[in-house]
Amino acid sequence: MKKTIFCTTVILTVIFMLRFAGSVIHYTRAAMEMCYEIIIPTLFPFFVCSGLLIYSGFGSVLAKAASGFMRPLFNVAPSGAAAFALGIISGFPLGAVTAVQLYQCGSLSKSEAERLLAFCNNSGPLFIIGSVGTAIYSKPIYGIALYIIHIISSLLVGIAFRFYSKNRHNSPPMRLDTTEMPLTEVFTTALTNAAKNIITVCFAIIFFSALCRAVLDVLPLSPALYAIVSGICEFSTGTLRVSVLDYGIYEKLVITAFILGFSGLCVHIQVMASVSGSGLSLKPYMLGKCLHGMIAAAITAAVLRIMPVSAPTFSGCDYMLSASFAVIPLLIAASAAFVFILFLIRRLIIIQKR
């Protein structure tokens, strides 16, 4: 049955691409340019560095630092902290790629790697603060608040998934230690894997982005629905389209928070390509990203209800100053929520140790 549905979908896709070949070719060219100008320069160096850290044994250092909270909080071996840390610093899809590498190195069990996938693949500060906050909304403080909420939501997803396959296939205490590998071999292995991963990611983006944009051009969607569906398909395009909707800042930020948490199907395709062949299930990952989007939107909506952000109708320097001061409560509330989450984490760790 699954094979029949898959084959039917592929056939319909081929027919659609033949019918709208001009649009598909145009968007494919645009996606290739995006990969050449943005994806490869920003992701490939991080992929190489991630591999160097993993295969040189640096993960054992992070494992020591994370030994006090990874197991009691997320039910994941301490070495999994490498994937989470790289995920929140470097962005998509480095967290998922690192989680798979940790599993293939034997540092994580199957169920631990699946739990980790549910919350380690996040958008980085460069995109949320730089692209969303500064470039799209012209307010870096928006991006800072959204990034804090994004990380809080990720932590909550990780806590929720600590019960997934509980007490099954947990790895014994171990260290991610490959220091006996010669440095030349470490570099060669990291470079080879990085090249493989970046090629997989780029071609997934090219195919999926071109197909989705061509399909959306055909569908009779309203501007709001078009923006939301665009975000569900490809999060960077979606966040840009949401920002120009004729909505208030409240609705825009809530929708943007959901899109950033869900990440978009294009990112999910990249993760699927990275996980392919590893034997890991993607069900926890997909459920985790859906939950991430909903939690992020709910927190943003709650914070904005408690501390509303209002934009005045006048323009010029007064507008810029007033808008900046108006969003300060959002940042304060998001930071307070982050501190509260840290307090809950500390209490959970204490309870687990008793």
Side-chain angles (χ1 to χ4, degrees), residues 38-119:
I38 300 175
I39 302 299
I40 295 177
T42 56
L43 285 185
F44 183 72
F46 284 109
F47 280 3
V48 176
C49 291
S50 171
L52 290 174
L53 292 176
I54 294 298
Y55 296 111
S56 65
F58 181 74
S60 61
V61 178
L62 286 176
K64 286 182 178 180
S67 59
F69 70 89
M70 285 300 292
R71 179 69 73 190
L73 193 62
F74 306 121
N75 198 17
V76 173
S79 55
F84 182 70
L86 290 170
I88 64 175
I89 293 172
S90 303
F92 306 121
L94 192 58
V97 170
T98 306
V100 174
Q101 289 177 334
L102 288 168
Y103 171 63
Q104 292 173 337
C105 285
S107 183
L108 298 175
S109 69
K110 184 175 184 292
S111 54
E112 284 177 330
E114 291 170 353
R115 290 186 205 115
L116 189 60
L117 281 173
F119 69 95

Side-chain angles (χ1 to χ4, degrees), residues 61-343:
V61 178
L62 286 176
K64 286 182 178 180
S67 59
F69 70 89
M70 285 300 292
R71 179 69 73 190
L73 193 62
F74 306 121
N75 198 17
V76 173
S79 55
F84 182 70
L86 290 170
I88 64 175
I89 293 172
S90 303
F92 306 121
L94 192 58
V97 170
T98 306
V100 174
Q101 289 177 334
L102 288 168
Y103 171 63
Q104 292 173 337
C105 285
S107 183
L108 298 175
S109 69
K110 184 175 184 292
S111 54
E112 284 177 330
E114 291 170 353
R115 290 186 205 115
L116 189 60
L117 281 173
F119 69 95
C120 74
N121 197 47
N122 300 301
S123 182
L126 185 63
F127 178 77
I128 297 181
I129 299 175
S131 298
V132 178
T134 303
I136 294 179
Y137 287 105
S138 300
K139 295 290 181 294
I141 201 166
Y142 283 174
I144 295 171
L146 286 172
Y147 181 66
I148 293 173
I149 292 173
H150 188 75
I151 301 307
I152 291 172
S153 304
S154 176
L155 292 172
L156 292 175
V157 171
I159 293 172
F161 271 84
R162 76 179 309 278
F163 302 103
Y164 170 79
S165 296
K166 189 176 180 181
N167 300 324
R168 288 183 54 206
H169 307 295
N170 286 326
S171 61
M174 62 176 65
R175 296 175 57 192
L176 179 61
D177 190 0
T178 55
T179 53
E180 294 182 0
M181 183 184 295
L183 291 179
T184 53
E185 187 177 349
V186 168
F187 181 77
T188 301
T189 303
L191 194 64
T192 301
N193 289 338
K196 178 183 176 181
N197 288 327
I198 199 67
I199 290 173
T200 302
V201 166
C202 285
F203 279 93
I205 290 175
I206 291 169
F207 174 77
F208 196 76
S209 177
L211 183 61
C212 285
R213 294 178 70 179
V215 170
L216 289 175
D217 282 350
V218 176
L219 298 177
L221 301 176
S222 65
L225 191 57
Y226 187 95
I228 294 172
V229 174
S230 295
I232 292 174
C233 292
E234 206 281 308
F235 76 103
S236 58
T237 303
T239 53
L240 178 60
R241 292 189 178 277
V242 168
S243 68
V244 297
L245 290 176
D246 190 21
Y247 286 173
I249 192 64
Y250 172 86
E251 290 82 3
K252 289 181 181 180
L253 290 180
V254 171
I255 296 173
T256 299
F258 173 80
I259 291 174
L260 291 172
F262 180 69
S263 309
L265 296 177
C266 188
V267 170
H268 302 337
I269 293 295
Q270 299 171 40
V271 174
M272 290 177 188
S274 301
V275 175
S276 177
S278 66
L280 297 175
S281 172
L282 282 168
K283 290 181 181 179
Y285 169 77
M286 293 303 300
L287 290 174
K289 297 315 295 179
C290 291
L291 185 60
H292 192 172
M294 291 187 288
I295 292 176
I299 294 177
T300 305
V303 169
L304 289 173
R305 287 295 184 189
I306 298 171
M307 300 286 187
V309 176
S310 59
T313 55
F314 51 87
S315 59
C317 295
D318 290 337
Y319 170 81
M320 299 295 290
L321 183 62
S322 178
S324 296
F325 277 107
V327 80
I328 289 178
L330 173 63
L331 180 59
I332 294 174
S335 301
F338 183 66
V339 172
F340 179 68
I341 292 298
L342 291 179
F343 172 76

